[in-house]
Amino acid sequence: MATVAGDTCATLNPSVCQGVPPLLTDLYQFTMAYAYWRAGRHNQHAVFELFFRDNPFNGGFSLFAGLNDCLQFLRDFRFTDEDVEYLRTVLPSNTHPDFFAYLKGLDSSAVSVSAVAEGTVVFARVPILEVSGPLAVVQLLETSLLCLVNYASLVCTNAARFRLAAGPRRRLMEMGLRRAQGPNGGLTASRATYIGGFDLTSNALAGRLFGIPVAGTIAHSYVTSFSSLEEVCPKTLMPLRGGDPVELVPLVKDWLARVCQLLGAKPQQVREGELAAFLSYAIAYPFNFLPVIDSYSVSSSGLPCFCAVALALCELQYQPLGVRLDSGDLCRQSLLVYNVFRQCSKQFSVPAFESFIIVGTNGVSEKSLSELNKRDNEIDVVGVGTHLVTCTSQPSLGCVYKLVEVGGRPRMKLSEDPEKSTLPGRKAIYRLLDTDGHPQMDLICLSEEPAPKVEEPIKCHPLGLDKAVQSVTPAHVTRLRLDVFSHGEILLPLSSAYESRVHAQTSIQALYPHHRKLEEPVSYTVAVSERIHSLVSDIRRGNS
């Protein structure tokens, strides 16, 4: 795999969806804003929370991503004259003209946001973002914020699961741009999967924007475009340490004969076009020679051709990288390739063959990656595309944005479906840790409540459980959300993809193994304080 190392400490913090306009929202946000305005309630102070109701993929945790985009969207939030003129044409004709003048003057200067840090492990029902400000403005932010968080967090979580399935040794490469949900979806996926634990991307623009290491080699079309050694041009290569140019075609033919003899392969089954393609690419990139070897037959053509060209490069003091497998039984083929490399190393005294990498890319899913670890194989790098960026096992995280306070008074959605009810009031979120630093519970309190204290028992009510009050004594307490936006300004430096990635991997590793299991994980406890529990009971009885 030809790899261009990205600056993993890059400080670039561009938005994935640069210039997200406030018009990228649902029309009903404007009809509600107008109704607030018409009733004179548009400037009432309101608080909304963004959260999701269930961990995706039947898993035990999620990762939060998309914060950078949210903050840049908020900073730039304002309607252009063209936006407002368009809204005149789509809102009902009886909309008062002064409302459009109001829209022209809107910005986010009165909006405040607190948020969990990007890359943090988060759980269902825990508010990730709190957005407060004038009622009409924070209402208008709903759809855009959901759009920016939902997919980024989903694909980031998916990547983390692939990382866990792969284990720590194997490198992972994201290569889903051609299957992604449009250009912005492709960029979002590349950044989010890197945060989630992938090592490389094939997306060149993501490499430039976010400092992600990029990698790439040749596709089947390159191989099948050649049919004869006559098409190789140029046909010579200078030895790495100097000397006269060497004619590579006869040199490679000689090596091919020796490789076929060693492997018991039939020279007449070798595809001359495949050999020509490998040779041509090796001349172009002698330091980065890593071809795909299954365009025809791995055993009878692709592998012998690679070995012949690689041996010629080694003779000229270059270091090839390895091969890519893109079809068939990757485990079985990787063992075949690995054994042939060892044979060549021993027979021809070329130790470089023992350091070649084997890349596998063939419709890899989380399940097939987990199965890979259960079988003997020699795959060093796995490339994943479709199942990673499209999140085939679950298409949406299902984040919601719900009103919890207006004018200083708590608000709660009461629903016939208990799962869709909300928790009222402005809140503070705490993560309670045990003596080993493992998260043991997320506790949701009202914002005016005192913070939980270390080594003091706390009474709380776990969500989703028909249990009596529970007591927990934390060894450490962490406040999950930080103030990130106020008065139209971003309060903290935007995190780079690398910084969010480091935080994500640390956050995941802090979990108990039974919470990060891919199948049938133990549910992590999210609880509410006694005061919230009492407030919910009062509202349900109609007393508040």
Side-chain angles (χ1 to χ4, degrees):
M1 175 174 10
T3 304
V4 180
D7 180 4
T8 53
C9 294
T11 56
L12 282 172
N13 289 299
S15 171
V16 170
C17 307
Q18 297 185 37
V20 172
L23 210 59
L24 186 69
T25 188
D26 295 306
L27 184 64
Y28 73 76
Q29 306 293 4
F30 292 103
T31 58
M32 284 192 289
Y34 175 70
Y36 290 141
W37 178 86
R38 198 76 173 84
R41 302 185 61 220
H42 56 291
N43 283 326
Q44 279 191 293
H45 191 268
V47 181
F48 282 80
E49 291 176 343
L50 189 152
F51 61 94
F52 56 93
R53 295 190 175 101
D54 295 292
N55 290 314
F57 314 114
N58 296 314
F61 70 92
S62 302
L63 284 177
F64 172 49
L67 180 60
N68 282 11
D69 287 328
C70 290
L71 294 177
Q72 292 179 88
F73 162 71
L74 290 166
R75 182 192 61 196
D76 300 334
F77 180 83
R78 58 186 53 85
F79 294 96
T80 66
D81 290 343
E82 292 79 8
D83 292 338
V84 175
E85 289 309 307
Y86 172 74
L87 288 170
R88 288 182 191 273
T89 69
V90 296
L91 287 173
S93 59
N94 66 331
T95 303
H96 196 285
D98 288 353
F99 176 67
F100 299 104
Y102 163 74
L103 289 179
K104 284 185 180 181
L106 281 187
D107 59 24
S108 62
S109 58
V111 174
S112 297
V113 178
S114 66
V116 172
E118 185 172 62
T120 300
V121 163
V122 288
F123 302 95
R125 302 294 300 276
V126 175
I128 304 168
L129 290 178
E130 179 195 83
V131 184
S132 63
L135 177 57
V137 178
V138 291
Q139 182 72 72
L140 286 169
L141 300 175
E142 176 180 6
T143 302
S144 301
L145 292 176
L146 288 171
C147 178
L148 293 171
V149 170
N150 256 312
Y151 177 64
S153 299
L154 181 71
V155 75
C156 188
T157 305
N158 201 28
R161 293 177 61 85
F162 272 86
R163 177 76 274 169
L164 290 170
R169 179 185 71 85
R170 229 182 295 275
R171 287 193 293 164
L172 294 175
M173 176 178 172
E174 176 269 318
M175 46 192 300
L177 180 58
R178 64 187 61 194
R179 306 288 168 79
Q181 292 89 337
N184 286 340
L187 280 174
T188 297
S190 294
R191 187 178 189 276
T193 54
Y194 182 63
I195 294 171
F198 273 59
D199 305 284
L200 306 159
T201 181
S202 66
N203 187 338
L205 182 57
R208 182 176 76 83
L209 291 177
F210 312 125
I212 304 172
V214 296
T217 175
I218 59 176
H220 296 293
S221 56
Y222 182 86
V223 177
T224 57
S225 73
F226 288 82
S227 59
S228 168
L229 288 169
E230 297 298 320
E231 296 169 308
V232 176
C233 183
K235 290 182 168 61
T236 62
L237 184 64
M238 293 279 293
L240 179 60
R241 295 171 189 162
D244 296 330
V246 174
E247 289 283 346
L248 280 189
V249 172
L251 179 60
V252 167
K253 282 184 174 180
D254 178 62
W255 276 117
L256 180 62
R258 296 166 69 181
V259 168
C260 286
Q261 183 178 10
L262 172 66
L263 303 180
K266 297 177 180 179
Q268 63 270 26
Q269 292 184 345
V270 171
R271 296 273 186 158
E272 185 176 328
E274 189 165 32
L275 183 62
F278 290 0
L279 184 49
S280 181
Y281 191 74
I283 292 169
Y285 287 112
F287 293 104
N288 297 289
F289 181 54
L290 193 154
V292 59
I293 63 171
D294 65 326
S295 296
Y296 301 107
S297 167
V298 171
S299 58
S300 62
S301 183
L303 186 53
C305 287
F306 168 80
C307 291
V309 176
L311 285 162
L313 286 176
C314 290
E315 186 175 327
L316 300 181
Q317 295 91 45
Y318 293 98
Q319 175 68 48
L321 294 181
V323 300
R324 178 164 74 98
L325 299 167
D326 190 47
S327 62
D329 187 330
L330 297 182
C331 291
R332 181 184 60 79
Q333 291 190 88
S334 72
L335 293 173
L336 167 67
V337 171
Y338 178 83
N339 290 331
V340 168
F341 286 170
R342 293 304 179 271
Q343 287 179 264
C344 288
S345 174
K346 182 178 180 181
Q347 178 68 26
F348 305 122
S349 300
V350 183
F353 268 67
E354 298 191 17
S355 63
F356 290 168
I357 64 173
I358 300 173
V359 181
T361 57
N362 181 26
V364 178
S365 65
E366 179 191 308
K367 181 179 180 181
S368 64
L369 194 53
S370 296
E371 290 173 351
L372 201 68
N373 287 334
K374 300 174 185 177
R375 298 178 56 193
D376 289 340
N377 69 85
E378 292 294 339
I379 298 173
D380 303 290
V381 181
V382 177
V384 192
T386 303
H387 295 293
L388 176 65
V389 304
T390 65
C391 301
T392 47
S393 60
Q394 180 170 326
S396 175
L397 179 56
C399 285
V400 294
Y401 183 86
K402 297 299 181 183
L403 181 69
V404 295
E405 183 181 284
V406 176
R409 295 178 63 82
R411 292 292 186 269
M412 178 180 178
K413 176 185 176 184
L414 295 171
S415 173
E416 293 183 4
D417 182 353
E419 290 296 313
K420 288 199 169 185
S421 64
T422 60
L423 296 173
R426 195 163 196 172
K427 306 175 189 71
I429 316 298
Y430 301 96
R431 183 154 291 172
L432 312 183
L433 311 175
D434 64 16
T435 54
D436 295 323
H438 297 299
Q440 59 181 149
M441 175 187 289
D442 281 7
L443 181 64
I444 304 174
C445 302
L446 292 174
S447 58
E448 64 266 24
E449 292 187 64
K453 293 182 180 179
V454 171
E455 303 299 345
E456 288 190 12
I458 303 162
K459 292 183 178 180
C460 56
H461 295 260
L463 293 175
L465 298 175
D466 296 325
K467 288 185 178 180
V469 63
Q470 182 174 320
S471 180
V472 60
T473 304
H476 308 279
V477 176
T478 300
R479 191 177 185 119
L480 270 188
R481 289 198 315 241
L482 299 173
D483 293 332
V484 294
F485 188 86
S486 183
H487 302 295
E489 299 291 335
I490 299 171
L491 301 180
L492 300 175
L494 297 178
S495 61
S496 69
Y498 177 73
E499 290 165 339
S500 294
R501 169 191 169 86
V502 171
H503 179 59
Q505 301 314 304
T506 301
S507 192
I508 291 170
Q509 289 307 311
L511 292 175
Y512 275 109
H514 58 253
H515 288 142
R516 61 174 185 259
K517 284 173 59 180
L518 297 180
E519 295 183 5
E520 299 181 354
V522 173
S523 295
Y524 180 83
T525 301
V526 175
V528 297
S529 66
E530 283 202 286
R531 284 189 59 182
I532 288 185
H533 185 263
S534 297
L535 178 60
V536 169
S537 298
D538 286 343
I539 292 175
R540 289 190 182 279
R541 289 194 298 265
N543 297 332
S544 175

